[in-house]
Amino acid sequence: MVNTSYKRWIFVAIFLFGIGITLGLVAPVSVANLVAEDIAALKELSGILVPFSALTVIFIFIKNALALLLSFALSPIFCLLPILTLTVNGWLLAFVSVTVSQEESLGLVLAGLLPHGIFELPALIMGEAAALGFGTVVMLALFKKGRRSLLLPGLKRNLRYLMVALALLLPAAIIETYVTPLLLT
């Protein structure tokens, strides 16, 4: 059963991701120039990561898992990293989707995102919701002595949700490596 306070963090995470998507849909072209170097680096990386390779699965899984773990670990710093992670990922998803659908097709966007996104997006939302919950518990414990007793139970609860999110990243990486390339050809 999902804890009611965790449900609240799920809604907050979805809201922040939605803000990012909205920003990505209305982002001016000049913003695209800010990420042009990042997109070029991603294209270079995509040349190294080959489809149908176990090393690619491992790389994608570790990259995504480390991002979630880092966000969770640093969340007590005013929840800045989870907030940034959710909004930036939402923005990138919308921005890239709009760009690709204008240059290619909406079908290509869906084929490239849906198969692994079914696992990866819930993992992102769940993991960042756990990070937001944990960060908030730590901040409350630091500033209110009466809340310190909630620190360990809050950590345990949010770690359980984080572990589920991390587990979802493995099938996402497998699908992204073995299924998505078949759909994009």
Side-chain angles (χ1 to χ4, degrees):
M1 182 159 189
V2 178
N3 182 292
T4 53
S5 66
Y6 181 70
K7 283 182 186 178
R8 180 179 7 169
W9 291 118
I10 288 284
F11 289 123
V12 170
I14 291 169
F15 177 74
L16 291 168
F17 191 72
I19 288 173
I21 288 174
T22 304
L23 292 173
L25 293 174
V26 298
V29 178
S30 62
V31 174
N33 296 332
L34 295 175
V35 294
E37 289 179 21
D38 293 331
I39 292 172
L42 285 174
K43 285 181 181 178
E44 184 177 315
L45 185 61
S46 69
I48 297 168
L49 297 175
V50 295
F52 315 113
S53 166
L55 288 176
T56 300
V57 172
I58 293 166
F59 177 82
I60 291 170
F61 174 75
I62 289 174
K63 177 191 71 67
N64 289 337
L66 285 176
L68 271 184
L69 290 169
L70 184 65
S71 186
F72 188 87
L74 296 179
S75 65
I77 305 171
F78 304 108
C79 294
L80 292 176
L81 196 52
I83 292 168
L84 280 172
T85 299
L86 287 162
T87 53
V88 168
N89 275 284
W91 180 83
L92 277 173
L93 177 68
F95 178 76
V96 170
S97 295
V98 166
T99 303
V100 172
S101 66
Q102 288 172 348
E103 292 178 9
E104 299 290 332
S105 71
L106 179 59
L108 184 68
V109 171
L110 296 175
L113 292 177
L114 284 181
H116 72 279
I118 290 171
F119 293 97
E120 194 169 328
L121 289 178
L124 174 70
I125 299 294
M126 290 174 67
E128 295 302 339
L132 289 166
F134 174 64
T136 302
V137 166
V138 170
M139 287 187 295
L140 287 173
L142 285 173
F143 297 113
K144 294 185 178 185
K145 282 186 179 184
R147 297 289 183 124
R148 290 189 181 149
S149 64
L150 301 176
L151 190 57
L152 188 58
L155 173 64
K156 288 180 182 179
R157 179 182 61 247
N158 287 302
L159 275 176
R160 279 194 302 265
Y161 294 120
L162 180 64
M163 292 303 121
V164 172
L166 290 171
L168 287 172
L169 290 176
L170 185 58
I174 292 168
I175 292 168
E176 189 171 354
T177 302
Y178 291 101
V179 176
T180 302
L182 294 173
L183 298 174
L184 295 178
T185 54

